[in-house]
Amino acid sequence: MPTIFSRIVSGEIPADIVHQDELVTAFRDVSPAAPTHILIVPNQEISGVDALEDSQAQVAGRMILVARDLARQEGVAAGGYRLIINCGPDGGQEVMHLHMHLVGGRPLGPMLSRG
Ligand code: AMP
């Protein structure tokens, strides 16, 4: 079964896609936590950071560079933003397709609650 993000990458289900190249796709999060909330995903299905292989360094690097460019495009680069990759159950990962959140557009507060 393809992940929901694979189905977005292939165009099977709609999303607000803001970038797509041969390695990654970026689209707006359906439930945004900040004025800018974009997900950057590899086109190829990789379940998460723990499943990344050394040979996939190019796609991992591309995710960060695309996030940098999108942050500039969104006008949040100067004010600052946060890149988040949740991994596994304790990390709060809900969709088992590697994705990086780009969030910004308001002060984001401390990185983690200490509860
Ligand atoms: P995570 O908790 O890191 O796995 O984040 C999953 C994110 O995917 C959440 O922020 C969801 O709001 C987002 N999401 C789930 N389904 C969709 C979708 N169809 N289109 C856009 N974002 C989605």
Side-chain angles (χ1 to χ4, degrees):
M1 275 284 284
T3 66
I4 188 155
F5 291 169
S6 284
R7 296 170 71 195
I8 288 172
V9 168
S10 70
E12 186 190 334
I13 63 170
D16 187 356
I17 292 178
V18 293
H19 172 90
Q20 189 160 45
D21 61 38
E22 80 284 11
L23 291 178
V24 305
T25 298
F27 49 92
R28 294 190 192 280
D29 196 292
V30 75
S31 178
T36 292
H37 189 167
I38 292 170
L39 302 175
I40 300 115
V41 312
N43 294 341
Q44 183 188 351
E45 214 166 282
I46 301 168
S47 62
V49 170
D50 195 54
L52 260 177
E53 297 181 5
D54 290 355
S55 62
Q56 293 169 317
Q58 198 190 2
V59 71
R62 182 71 62 84
M63 289 170 70
I64 296 179
L65 295 174
V66 166
R68 174 203 64 188
D69 290 345
L70 289 172
R72 291 175 183 166
Q73 205 172 291
E74 290 284 306
V76 300
Y81 54 90
R82 189 170 291 158
L83 302 179
I84 303 165
I85 302 179
N86 295 323
C87 186
D90 281 0
Q93 184 179 1
E94 292 171 356
V95 178
M96 293 301 131
H97 183 138
L98 177 62
H99 53 283
M100 174 182 287
H101 300 251
L102 162 62
V103 285
R106 66 168 174 81
L108 295 168
M111 186 174 72
L112 291 174
S113 66
R114 297 189 182 275

